[in-house]
């Protein structure tokens, strides 16, 4: 057996009323910065719970609620400026992947004087402590060392990666997701599924990570019928949070690969939700790897409860619904970005430009 390396420096609590039950964990600095979007954290009660927990320990806070979907670099520099001016010495990120990734970049920039180019390359020397409270079940950012930002100059999404971005605490509460729109629930669940699957097909996979990811895939599969008809219970929400958590832990060790390389342009140029963008190519990705390495997808099909790849395709298609139209010209535009992404070379089978073009064509034009 190859050597196994595993690290999870984040305290994780998955339970109802997690913030209230673990309010003592917020006593880790003199002033907090709450990073979130405009409305969701207020609507679902997460922000009120955090403010109450801070009040218990008489910790003041500054609110930065200007994080948009797919945040860019300027958003994070602005948040870091506010953090430094206000004297905040730790960051609490509430929301889906966008606020959590922005919170990480803000924590890094507030503690390290990084230029725009250094933001993605380092060297990284310090970051403010982080507490993450996810309000969707998809990104797993609460347990990863990554932050994904939109880079308008490069016309793609780019990743910051450093162990300094692991949150110290992650508080996962399914009640914050009770009011999520159905399409958001489905798209984020598909993101979690892609994380777990990509980790099991990564060149860096280990038996430990694959077992963890498979348990997340099974949790997703248990909610599939409810995802399809929108009848999710709180137990279903908890299962999806678990699937998101395992996906985050898994990709923290393996990173993502081909599906994400293909998906970034779909999100950047066509503004397709990240999880949906992944799902558009996910089934074809399994076909590609199974053709090159027969039998490699069997553990994934078993975990999803699907007897073959055709059934897997049908499952994904049912959750995606009607696909967006694409042209050959669009695909030709996306291929160089996908090939330039280091993700495209992280699976058990490496890819050429023509492989990526074929994956796009078979997924989007078929």
């Amino acid at each position: 057996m190859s050597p196994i390396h595993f690290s999870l420096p984040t305290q994780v609590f998955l339970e109802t009323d997690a913030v209230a039950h673990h309010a003592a964990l917020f006593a880790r600095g003199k002033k907090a910065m709450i990073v979130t979007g405009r409305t969701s954290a207020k609507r679902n009660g997460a922000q009120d719970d955090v403010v109450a927990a801070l009040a218990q320990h008489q910790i003041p806070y500054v609110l930065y609620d200007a994080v948009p979907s797919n945040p860019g670099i300027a958003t994070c520099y602005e948040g870091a400026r506010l953090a430094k001016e206000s004297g905040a010495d730790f960051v609490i990120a509430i929301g889906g992947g966008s606020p959590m990734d922005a919170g990480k970049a803000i924590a890094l920039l507030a503690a390290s004087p990084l230029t725009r180019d250094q933001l993605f390359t380092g060297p990284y020397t310090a970051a403010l402590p982080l507490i993450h409270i996810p309000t969707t079940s998809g990104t797993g950012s609460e347990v990863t060392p990554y932050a994904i930002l939109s880079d308008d100059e490069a016309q793609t999404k780019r990743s910051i990666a450093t162990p300094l971005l692991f949150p110290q605490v992650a508080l996962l509460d399914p009640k914050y997701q009770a009011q999520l729109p159905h399409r958001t629930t489905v798209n984020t669940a598909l993101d979690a599924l892609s994380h777990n699957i990509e980790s099991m097909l990564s060149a860096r996979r280990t038996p430990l990570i694959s077992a963890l990811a498979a348990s997340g895939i099974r949790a997703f599969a248990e909610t599939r019928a409810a995802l399809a008809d929108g009848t999710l219970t709180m137990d279903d929400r908890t299962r999806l949070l678990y699937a998101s958590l395992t996906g985050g832990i898994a990709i923290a060790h393996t990173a993502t690969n081909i599906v994400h390389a293909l998906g970034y342009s779909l999100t950047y140029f066509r503004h397709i939700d990240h999880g949906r963008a992944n799902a558009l190519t996910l089934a074809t990705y399994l076909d590609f790897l199974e053709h090159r390495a027969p039998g490699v997808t069997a553990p994934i099909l078993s975990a999803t409860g699907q007897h073959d790849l055709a059934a897997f395709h049908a499952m994904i298609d049912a959750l995606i619904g009607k696909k967006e139209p694409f042209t050959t010209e669009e695909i030709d535009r996306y291929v160089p970005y996908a090939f330039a992404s280091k993700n495209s070379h992280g699976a058990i089978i490496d890819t050429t430009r023509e492989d990526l073009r074929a994956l796009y064509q078979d997924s989007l034009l078929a």
Side-chain angles (χ1 to χ4, degrees):
M1 180 183 292
S2 300
I4 290 177
H5 304 280
F6 183 88
S7 176
L8 182 63
T10 306
Q11 284 186 281
V12 178
F13 301 89
L14 197 173
E15 61 189 82
T16 301
D17 297 326
V19 172
H21 291 168
H22 303 284
L25 296 174
F26 289 84
R28 61 183 56 247
K30 295 180 179 179
K31 188 171 187 177
M33 167 178 265
I34 298 175
V35 176
T36 188
R38 288 290 185 191
T39 59
S40 62
K42 301 178 183 70
R43 185 172 59 247
N44 61 34
Q47 186 172 315
D48 287 343
D49 287 349
V50 167
V51 169
L54 292 171
Q56 285 185 38
H57 299 281
Q58 299 180 316
I59 298 172
Y61 69 91
V62 60
L63 176 65
Y64 184 60
D65 61 357
V67 179
S69 295
N70 303 305
I73 296 168
T75 294
C76 299
Y77 272 100
E78 175 61 21
R81 181 193 62 78
L82 178 60
K84 288 186 284 189
E85 289 180 355
S86 66
D89 56 5
F90 68 106
V91 172
I92 304 167
I94 310 171
S98 294
M100 288 197 288
D101 285 359
K104 289 179 175 181
I106 288 168
L108 190 65
L109 289 168
S112 304
L114 298 169
T115 65
R116 186 189 183 284
D117 289 337
Q118 289 174 329
L119 179 60
F120 296 102
T121 62
Y124 307 115
T125 58
L128 301 183
L130 287 153
I131 297 175
H132 273 203
I133 302 163
T135 60
T136 64
S137 294
T139 179
S141 183
E142 68 274 10
V143 286
T144 75
Y146 313 126
I148 311 298
L149 302 179
S150 294
D151 184 344
D152 291 334
E153 287 189 15
Q155 292 190 309
T156 189
K157 298 180 80 171
R158 298 179 66 187
S159 175
I160 306 169
T162 167
L164 294 170
L165 295 185
F166 273 113
Q168 281 67 46
V169 176
L171 299 165
L172 290 70
D173 189 337
K175 74 179 182 183
Y176 297 144
Q177 304 189 31
Q179 299 178 5
L180 276 180
H182 179 59
R183 178 43 56 185
T184 301
T185 299
V186 171
N187 287 346
T188 53
L190 289 168
D191 189 23
L193 179 65
S194 70
H195 290 163
N196 285 297
I197 287 176
E198 286 174 78
S199 73
M200 291 182 69
L201 297 171
S202 168
R204 295 163 57 184
R205 71 196 188 282
T206 67
L208 177 61
I209 290 301
S210 292
L212 184 67
S215 75
I217 294 171
R218 287 192 293 271
F220 169 90
E222 290 172 1
T223 71
R224 185 166 63 88
L227 277 172
D229 62 21
T231 59
L232 287 99
T233 65
M234 200 55 63
D235 284 342
D236 291 324
R237 299 281 184 188
T238 302
R239 292 186 187 98
L240 290 176
L241 262 179
Y242 175 79
S244 180
L245 175 68
T246 62
I249 295 171
I251 64 172
H253 292 81
T254 67
T256 55
N257 49 77
I258 298 171
V259 169
H260 276 65
L262 296 169
Y264 287 148
S265 285
L266 305 186
T267 297
Y268 186 85
F269 290 110
R270 291 290 299 272
H271 308 292
I272 297 172
D273 182 272
H274 173 65
R276 179 177 175 83
N278 290 344
L280 287 171
T281 64
L282 184 60
T284 304
Y285 161 77
L286 292 190
D287 289 338
F288 169 77
L289 292 181
E290 180 64 25
H291 178 73
R292 301 294 182 88
V296 73
T297 64
I300 293 165
L301 294 176
S302 176
T304 59
Q306 305 304 307
H307 57 277
D308 58 23
L309 285 170
F312 184 88
H313 271 269
M315 178 189 76
I316 296 298
D317 286 346
L319 292 172
I320 291 175
K322 184 178 180 181
K323 296 182 181 180
E324 294 82 354
F326 289 89
T327 65
T328 300
E329 290 74 19
E330 285 178 293
I331 287 173
D332 288 342
R333 182 184 186 187
Y334 303 157
V335 169
Y337 293 104
F339 188 73
S341 170
K342 60 185 177 182
N343 302 75
S344 66
H345 308 290
I348 57 172
I349 302 296
D350 201 5
T351 55
T352 65
R353 287 175 181 264
E354 288 310 308
D355 289 331
L356 296 173
R357 179 175 282 104
L359 282 163
Y360 271 134
Q361 290 174 337
D362 292 346
S363 300
L364 306 179
L365 300 183

